Amino acid sequence: YNEFNGEKNSGIFIRNKTNNPDFYNASAVFVVYCSSDSHAGNASAQENPTNWNFRGKEIVKAIISELMKGGLLNAKDVVVTGGSAGGMATFLNADFIKDMIFS
């Protein structure tokens, strides 16, 4: 791990079997919050009166699709978490992510 965007070697991210027997060897994916819509929007500038694109849901869909190509389909458990706007994005997308992976 590195310190990119606050990523820490603490809590469930501790890479030590003694201190974190459940998650020490888990894969972790850090998604940068970049959509300004809590990764929930799906409207083009032509489809809304603000003339702004909101494609956060498509970002989530693309990320999960790419992760599934790399082995996410074999996962038995998936933990989705976030803080601040990422927490809202987690709340808004948890069922969507579950359905993509386990349906």
Side-chain angles (χ1 to χ4, degrees):
Y1 276 100
N2 62 37
E3 296 295 321
F4 175 75
N5 264 339
E7 191 174 327
K8 306 266 189 247
N9 187 20
S10 63
I12 65 169
F13 299 111
I14 292 174
R15 306 302 272 179
N16 178 300
K17 186 174 184 176
T18 302
N19 296 330
N20 188 13
D22 295 323
F23 296 103
Y24 81 97
N25 200 27
S27 298
V29 177
F30 179 80
V31 177
V32 177
Y33 178 66
C34 59
S35 69
S36 298
D37 65 357
S38 295
H39 285 125
N42 197 8
S44 71
Q46 294 78 29
E47 298 169 331
N48 67 73
T50 65
N51 291 324
W52 286 64
N53 289 302
F54 293 103
R55 293 292 192 197
K57 186 68 81 173
E58 292 300 312
I59 294 169
V60 172
K61 185 177 178 181
I63 290 167
I64 298 301
S65 294
E66 285 299 310
L67 292 172
M68 288 171 61
K69 292 177 190 175
L72 183 60
L73 277 175
N74 299 322
K76 294 178 183 156
D77 297 301
V78 175
V79 176
V80 181
T81 187
S84 191
M88 179 57 73
T90 298
F91 176 78
L92 294 172
N93 286 291
D95 289 336
F96 177 71
I97 292 168
K98 176 191 65 106
D99 290 344
M100 282 190 72
I101 299 169
F102 298 111
S103 293

